[in-house]
Amino acid sequence: MRILVTGASGFLGRTVVERLFAHGNLDLRCFVRPNSNVSALEEIRNRYPHARLDYLVGNLASPDDARRAVEGVETIYHLAAGMRGLPATIFVNTVVASKCLLDAIQDKKRRVVLISSLGVYGTSFLETGRVIGEDTELDPHPEKRNVYFHAKIWQERLFRAQAEKGRVDLVVLRPGILYGNANPNCGFPSRIGILVGSVLLVFGGGNPLPLSHVVNCAEAVVLAGQNAEASGQTYNVLDDDLPSAIKYLREYKHQVKNIATVRFPFLVTMLLSQTVEKYHVKTHGQIPAVLTPYESSAMWKGHQFDNQSIKKLGWKQIMPTVEAMRETFAYLRAGPNGHNQ
């Protein structure tokens, strides 16, 4: 059975490829963008000499490229999305690309494993400490979220609309903060706070960080794609034994380097957010809305995320959290400086 992996050269994508091979799925088509670095995929291919790994280079926002990508495949792991750049670029690479992919598979029903995000939940209205399960609704006001979450919410809506019409066999996974060795976006997760110059403004406080080590996440992705019981289901994907934002930051300072921090209680965070939003409106956007009450409430109110559903599917954490954090900090200590993601 031929499998398509979009975004295959990315941090999660290449790990999903490795886990697919490890589970005996040896016929893969990897969709990558022009100028993608495929050296990590080549290293994986070398470890599985009997596997078939083909590259298809293109842009999923092109209908022709999308049609070429899905030709002859039975299962699609859709990881491709816009992570950075202008808002229009993120929407094209996430929403428009997904629309082209869906249009390309109208000829035949296929299983699609969509990688979404914990950030799509509508948590701004929920009380502090609320446990967020998969039955929590999508955010009803995506336009009030940051552009990445905004795009991911629309992406989910597109796929769910097609699943309700019976045109795709959809499985949705919502990972937490991806971390691990060789993560180009590793450093200070946004659920800790915002890095301003050389000072980290800490808003997360004692809230648990919903971390998902890349190997643990990839294992869940592959498991959900292979399991018939996962059809039509949604799964939160995050590790056990999670540290708080403050504990993560303390370990970062101890294992990587010291950094200046200013901690804000949640009430002060909301007051600051109201002030920033007020001046954003007053200056007609000249002062960027880096903080808003709606986004701050969603990110730093202290919600917790439940991972029991993916465990019922048979998922087990491969990389323990303590070891995963040690690996991440060792990578940062050896090379890249921490930065906001």
Side-chain angles (χ1 to χ4, degrees):
M1 178 181 70
R2 172 137 270 211
I3 293 172
L4 170 67
V5 181
T6 72
S9 64
F11 180 53
L12 178 59
R14 58 183 181 256
T15 313
V16 167
V17 168
E18 193 280 329
R19 296 313 301 164
L20 283 167
F21 282 165
H23 281 273
N25 302 279
L26 302 179
D27 188 2
L28 304 186
R29 175 180 295 155
C30 293
F31 191 94
V32 297
R33 294 179 63 84
N35 302 319
S36 293
N37 185 348
V38 297
S39 59
L41 290 173
E42 286 299 297
E43 292 178 7
I44 295 169
R45 187 213 293 265
N46 292 336
R47 295 200 298 271
Y48 295 88
H50 300 296
R52 177 184 176 187
L53 189 157
D54 295 334
Y55 297 113
L56 199 161
V57 179
N59 187 335
L60 279 179
S62 162
D64 288 339
D65 287 350
R67 282 191 292 269
R68 290 192 299 128
V70 304
E71 184 177 355
V73 303
E74 299 293 329
T75 301
I76 300 169
Y77 289 84
H78 186 39
L79 287 72
M83 298 291 294
R84 58 186 62 83
L86 295 173
T89 302
I90 292 175
F91 263 81
V92 167
N93 292 330
T94 304
V95 181
V96 175
S98 293
K99 177 64 166 59
C100 289
L101 183 67
L102 285 167
D103 289 344
I105 61 176
Q106 294 303 304
D107 62 319
K108 178 183 178 182
K109 186 174 181 178
R110 297 169 173 86
R111 167 159 286 198
V112 176
V113 182
L114 174 66
I115 309 307
S116 184
S117 167
L118 290 180
V120 301
Y121 286 117
T123 56
S124 292
F125 310 105
L126 303 180
E127 63 272 18
T128 300
R130 172 77 172 267
V131 177
I132 309 301
E134 291 84 352
D135 57 347
T136 303
E137 294 182 359
L138 292 178
D139 199 313
H141 297 291
E143 74 282 357
K144 294 184 178 182
R145 304 300 306 279
N146 70 54
V147 64
Y148 175 73
F149 293 149
H150 188 175
K152 295 300 285 185
I153 292 166
W154 276 106
Q155 182 189 50
E156 266 209 45
R157 288 178 176 177
L158 281 175
F159 278 93
R160 292 190 179 280
Q162 294 302 306
E164 290 172 2
K165 295 175 182 177
R167 294 175 179 171
V168 296
D169 176 16
L170 182 65
V171 183
V172 177
L173 288 97
R174 294 170 176 161
I177 302 161
L178 291 176
Y179 71 127
N181 188 39
N183 180 4
N185 299 315
C186 201
F188 301 116
S190 57
R191 288 185 183 272
I192 291 180
I194 298 176
L195 189 64
V196 179
S198 60
V199 178
L200 181 65
L201 308 183
V202 180
F203 303 119
N207 300 338
L209 275 184
L211 298 172
S212 183
H213 186 271
V214 65
V215 172
N216 298 331
C217 183
E219 179 71 6
V221 170
V222 173
L223 180 66
Q226 293 181 327
N227 200 316
E229 296 180 12
S231 179
Q233 300 302 310
T234 302
Y235 300 98
N236 292 342
V237 183
L238 61 154
D239 295 345
D240 294 319
D241 304 319
L242 296 172
S244 66
I246 289 299
K247 182 177 180 180
Y248 181 97
L249 183 57
R250 187 185 305 123
E251 288 299 314
Y252 177 93
K253 289 182 176 182
H254 176 69
Q255 298 189 40
V256 184
K257 68 173 184 179
N258 196 16
I259 183 172
T261 59
V262 179
R263 184 175 175 180
F264 295 82
F266 181 68
L267 179 59
V268 177
T269 298
M270 293 301 290
L271 291 172
L272 180 61
S273 301
Q274 292 169 6
T275 301
V276 171
E277 185 177 60
K278 175 183 176 181
Y279 279 95
H280 172 73
V281 174
K282 188 174 182 179
T283 62
H284 303 287
Q286 293 183 34
I287 295 178
V290 293
L291 291 173
T292 67
Y294 194 90
E295 181 73 6
S296 295
S297 183
M299 293 292 287
W300 301 306
K301 200 173 185 179
H303 305 115
Q304 302 180 49
F305 296 91
D306 179 56
N307 68 351
Q308 294 305 304
S309 292
I310 192 67
K311 290 181 177 179
K312 293 176 182 176
L313 203 62
W315 175 81
K316 295 180 180 179
Q317 186 168 334
I318 296 174
M319 176 76 78
T321 301
V322 171
E323 185 178 341
M325 289 178 61
R326 188 183 303 120
E327 174 196 85
T328 299
F329 293 143
Y331 169 69
L332 291 173
R333 185 170 60 248
N337 294 320
H339 57 278
N340 195 42
Q341 66 173 336

